[in-house]
Amino acid sequence: QQPVQSPQAVILREGEDAVINCSSSKALYSVHWYRQKHGEAPVFLMILLKGGEQKGHDKISASFNEKKQQSSLYLTASQLSYSGTYFCGTEYNNNDMRFGAGTRLTVKP
Amino acid sequence: DTAVSQTPKYLVTQMGNDKSIKCEQNLGHDTMYWYKQDSKKFLKIMFSYNNKELIINETVPNRFSPKSPDKAHLNLHINSLELGDSAVYFCASSSQGARFEAFFGQGTRLTVV
């Protein structure tokens, strides 16, 4: 039931852009995005709700295609601080949030 | 004040022992979760509670037993620990289920030797 994320890993130079994708085989109520730095807990970035509402980070954008059950996270003009593992979390029913396998993003100077 | 706190942060124990991990949230949330993160960083849901009621119980061995004495606490007790239980366990909470952001605890690194 967990979503599928791609790519598994990305290496960027500072200032470059990246897109991380998340797809589900089941209908979704919402998609969450989190970033986890090494040795730390995941931290919330954004929620995209069915119907188009978005809540979250003002420097990171995302899209949610309800029909295709897909979401993409757009990281533009990446900074060193963007490095970490990005997880999408998908909500199928209330109180049930499942995470993808994560995308490891490395930003180099 | 820490929003979601877990104790202990590190736990090293021998196979066969029984151990507990405690989780408390002071955010007034009504939903709490336990996730297991293995060495491959995969975050797998184990349990979900809403207002002290068990909502999700994934295919987790029955050696794992969650207990929610009240809305602010969700503890995890593990019996007869096995080597494969070694992982980082995260507690999380959210308001009104998964339509609101989840706040994670710092994690408990469990090592079974």
Side-chain angles (χ1 to χ4, degrees):
Chain A
Q1 256 189 346
Q2 55 266 14
V4 176
Q5 272 185 249
S6 62
Q8 288 186 343
V10 183
I11 299 176
L12 299 174
R13 295 283 177 192
E14 264 188 298
E16 291 181 339
D17 302 338
V19 180
I20 301 171
N21 300 303
C22 176
S23 65
S24 170
S25 57
K26 286 179 63 174
L28 301 173
Y29 286 101
S30 69
V31 177
H32 297 223
W33 287 96
Y34 292 80
R35 177 170 61 211
Q36 184 180 30
K37 293 192 178 275
H38 182 70
E40 298 180 8
V43 173
F44 170 77
L45 294 175
M46 178 165 287
I47 287 179
L48 301 104
L49 300 170
K50 199 173 178 180
E53 185 182 351
Q54 293 188 21
K55 296 189 277 187
H57 209 285
D58 58 4
K59 292 192 175 180
I60 293 174
S61 62
S63 63
F64 180 21
N65 185 324
E66 293 172 35
K67 283 186 181 175
K68 291 186 177 179
Q69 288 138 209
Q70 293 175 345
S71 177
S72 294
L73 185 72
Y74 304 98
L75 302 161
T76 55
S78 59
Q79 305 168 17
L80 294 176
S81 62
Y82 284 11
S83 292
T85 301
Y86 289 77
F87 291 96
C88 74
T90 49
E91 180 202 353
Y92 301 102
N93 296 299
N94 219 13
N95 307 307
D96 181 0
M97 184 163 63
R98 314 251 168 169
F99 289 95
T103 297
R104 181 172 290 184
L105 179 75
T106 305
V107 181
K108 296 186 172 180
Chain B
D1 276 349
T2 305
V4 181
S5 60
Q6 286 179 237
T7 52
K9 190 172 180 182
Y10 300 98
L11 185 53
V12 181
T13 187
Q14 290 187 326
M15 277 176 58
N17 283 350
D18 303 339
K19 289 293 177 186
S20 291
I21 306 172
K22 295 186 177 182
C23 178
E24 176 182 5
Q25 54 95 3
N26 62 6
L27 298 165
H29 289 164
D30 47 19
T31 302
M32 295 185 74
Y33 308 85
W34 276 109
Y35 289 92
K36 178 181 179 181
Q37 188 170 46
D38 59 25
S39 57
K40 294 182 180 176
K41 302 297 184 188
F42 182 48
L43 265 172
K44 183 177 177 183
I45 190 168
M46 299 174 70
F47 302 103
S48 161
Y49 269 73
N50 182 259
N51 285 317
K52 303 195 303 174
E53 224 180 288
L54 180 65
I55 303 297
I56 300 285
N57 182 351
E58 267 308 88
T59 9
V60 174
N62 57 17
R63 298 181 294 104
F64 290 80
S65 52
K67 284 191 172 50
S68 182
D70 55 57
K71 251 175 53 165
H73 295 85
L74 180 61
N75 304 322
L76 185 65
H77 188 76
I78 316 169
N79 289 329
S80 305
L81 278 154
E82 300 177 356
L83 293 176
D85 297 333
S86 296
V88 180
Y89 292 84
F90 284 101
C91 173
S93 74
S94 70
S95 179
Q96 296 181 38
R99 293 201 172 104
F100 294 83
E101 64 182 284
F103 291 80
F104 283 80
Q106 65 191 19
T108 296
R109 182 174 292 276
L110 172 66
T111 304
V112 183
V113 297

